[in-house]
Amino acid sequence: MAAATVRAGRLRIAANTAVLERWRAGAIEPGDSDWAVGEVLDVLARTGDLPRYRSSNDHSVTAYVERTLAFEGNAASLTRLFPTPDEIGAAAVLLIVHEAWNLSVLKKMDVPSWWPNADRGDPAVHQVDTDKARRGRRRYASNTLVDVGEGSSGRALRHVLELTAQARTTLDLLGRPTAKLLVGHRGLGGGENLRDYATGNALDGAIRRWQRHARADGVILPQRIHAQALRHSAQAHHGRARNNTQTTHERDYRLLDEDIRDASRGAVELGLAQALASARQTVAMRLVDQVDGDTEEAAELVAKEAEVDIEVARRIVGGRLRTPVASCADFLNSDHGAAGTPCAVSFLLCFACRNAVATGRDLPRIAYLHQALESLRSAVTPAVWAADWATHHARIGDFLTTYTATESRPRLVAAAVESDRELIHAMLERRLDP
């Protein structure tokens, strides 16, 4: 239902924006039925308000506007280019369901950056920066949302961006630029009511308003929808940490969910056995150990040993294809997705992908990752370890057994610099997952 509300809003705004762009381009002739509509929309886009009488005792919308917009009412007219509070509430619900973000994170969230955008005109990946103040020195994080079609978190974010884009453009024209993601018209007045939802309880109120109107339309919803309950449900549904630590996820979400506890009984030993067997059969990452610099000789060695194109090899040794664990030789043709689509799985699965190429420079991070997984094992339940981590642990262990000596691993772990260790922890907390 939240997705449907966002969809209706963005399609309405897109239709009116198309008329506005045609009018500004001179593609609509005076006298055409859309000409007057385009004229009114131009004022609305520049000022955040409809044309009004400016006498001392009359600031109502002009009769010309009312006739042009078929007497639909000021509230409906303002929404031709800007989202309603209901739609902003629906957008917040949609993003919480997909990513389990806190309401405080959504309030402060800025428009994401795009990555990568070199291979296609319509970028498939959103890089979202988040700020969760109560996490202290680790309050700032980054999330990767991949648009792989309807139902994906990246597509949901794309729809929210389209819903709110014109509001940001108008605020910029008004001299009040904002990078906030959630922006809309919050009243019947003029441009002064076009603003973000970063402060106060406005966003929580928008969620309640969306819920109330959806229920009035006959949609069956829980008695009260609020951000905390939605986040808890999303955490349990996804089955893994979403924008928090794995320990917090296990303690505050999964272990409190009766369905998860019931479903795990009797499956632990079987899951572990299957995970170990599967992992040892599927280590696909290749290692070119002798590479330790960005030279043509190193590129030629990678091209030969990893059987990749020389230009790809140059990018690997130059560090331009790095992931948290190795390098990716072909981001658009993963072993874990449809050919021609961006890879949308955890970086832990690099070890099971033929496109992954590690060099000697990556071994300290990989050794540190294996040690971090060992530490994590004691912090989660056996059921969670079997379901979420055992396969990865076994696969990485098998990789290290194949390519390194046991006595060399403490030295490799010690060689992992602080930035590498932070990167590994971010990956294990699933802050880098699509």
Side-chain angles (χ1 to χ4, degrees), residues 363-373 413 416 420-421 424-425:
L363 286 177
R365 280 198 318 283
I366 294 173
Y368 185 77
L369 170 60
H370 190 258
Q371 177 179 283
L373 281 172
V413 170
D420 285 343
R421 296 178 182 224
I424 293 301
H425 287 299

Side-chain angles (χ1 to χ4, degrees), residues 263-408:
S264 67
R265 294 188 180 102
V268 176
E269 290 185 5
L270 177 61
L272 283 171
Q274 291 175 338
L276 290 170
S278 172
R280 291 191 172 113
Q281 292 170 3
T282 55
V283 176
M285 181 189 288
R286 292 158 291 176
L287 174 70
V288 185
D289 189 17
Q290 301 91 334
V291 172
D292 59 2
D294 181 8
T295 64
E296 186 63 20
E297 292 78 7
E300 291 173 355
L301 180 61
V302 169
K304 177 182 177 182
E305 296 294 327
E307 299 179 345
V308 297
D309 180 80
I310 185 62
E311 184 55 37
V312 172
R314 291 187 182 111
R315 296 173 70 189
I316 288 174
V317 299
R320 297 191 294 277
L321 297 178
R322 284 185 62 187
T323 74
V325 296
S327 294
C328 180
D330 194 346
F331 175 72
L332 294 176
N333 290 285
S334 167
D335 286 347
H336 306 291
T341 62
C343 181
V345 300
S346 166
F347 290 111
L348 289 168
L349 282 170
C350 289
F351 291 91
C353 182
R354 290 168 295 175
N355 291 328
V357 179
T359 69
R361 293 177 297 183
D362 300 311
L363 286 177
R365 280 198 318 283
I366 294 173
Y368 185 77
L369 170 60
H370 190 258
Q371 177 179 283
L373 281 172
E374 289 282 2
S375 299
L376 177 63
R377 186 171 191 168
S378 62
V380 300
T381 65
V384 169
W385 177 259
D388 293 347
W389 303 104
T391 299
H392 300 304
H393 175 263
R395 189 179 289 125
I396 297 167
D398 200 49
F399 177 89
L400 289 171
T401 298
T402 301
Y403 292 112
T404 68
T406 303
E407 59 271 17
S408 70

Side-chain angles (χ1 to χ4, degrees), residues 191-326:
E192 71 277 5
N193 283 325
L194 186 65
R195 54 189 189 271
D196 61 42
Y197 286 71
T199 58
N201 297 319
L203 188 55
D204 189 45
I207 293 175
R208 292 197 303 270
R209 179 169 172 168
W210 169 79
Q211 172 196 313
R212 185 170 64 250
H213 289 168
R215 186 177 286 113
D217 290 338
V219 178
I220 299 175
L221 294 172
Q223 182 59 33
R224 181 169 182 264
I225 292 178
H226 55 85
Q228 186 177 7
L230 286 169
R231 175 172 164 77
H232 188 285
S233 297
Q235 288 272 358
H237 170 75
H238 286 297
R240 57 185 174 86
R242 306 290 286 186
N243 305 293
N244 52 25
T245 66
Q246 188 65 28
T247 300
T248 298
H249 174 65
E250 304 299 342
R251 183 189 65 235
D252 295 343
Y253 295 97
R254 285 179 66 89
L255 291 180
L256 297 180
D257 192 287
E258 291 291 341
D259 292 337
I260 291 175
R261 290 211 298 262
D262 290 343
S264 67
R265 294 188 180 102
V268 176
E269 290 185 5
L270 177 61
L272 283 171
Q274 291 175 338
L276 290 170
S278 172
R280 291 191 172 113
Q281 292 170 3
T282 55
V283 176
M285 181 189 288
R286 292 158 291 176
L287 174 70
V288 185
D289 189 17
Q290 301 91 334
V291 172
D292 59 2
D294 181 8
T295 64
E296 186 63 20
E297 292 78 7
E300 291 173 355
L301 180 61
V302 169
K304 177 182 177 182
E305 296 294 327
E307 299 179 345
V308 297
D309 180 80
I310 185 62
E311 184 55 37
V312 172
R314 291 187 182 111
R315 296 173 70 189
I316 288 174
V317 299
R320 297 191 294 277
L321 297 178
R322 284 185 62 187
T323 74
V325 296

Side-chain angles (χ1 to χ4, degrees), residues 93-172:
V93 169
L94 187 62
L95 293 174
I96 292 170
V97 168
H98 273 284
E99 288 298 309
W101 279 317
N102 284 328
L103 197 64
S104 62
V105 171
L106 281 176
K107 286 181 179 181
K108 294 180 284 187
M109 186 170 289
D110 289 340
V111 172
S113 58
W114 303 106
W115 177 88
N117 58 9
D119 299 321
R120 50 185 291 179
D122 184 14
V125 179
H126 308 271
Q127 197 73 29
V128 183
D129 294 326
T130 59
D131 177 5
K132 194 173 181 180
R134 63 193 180 100
R135 295 189 68 183
R137 68 181 184 86
R138 301 179 70 181
R139 63 183 291 179
Y140 300 106
S142 180
N143 295 77
T144 302
L145 278 64
V146 181
D147 181 353
V148 291
E150 291 297 335
S152 67
S153 58
R155 180 60 57 90
L157 182 57
R158 173 179 170 178
H159 288 171
V160 174
L161 285 165
E162 292 172 354
L163 177 74
T164 57
Q166 180 59 53
R168 281 186 294 276
T169 299
T170 300
L171 282 171
D172 190 53

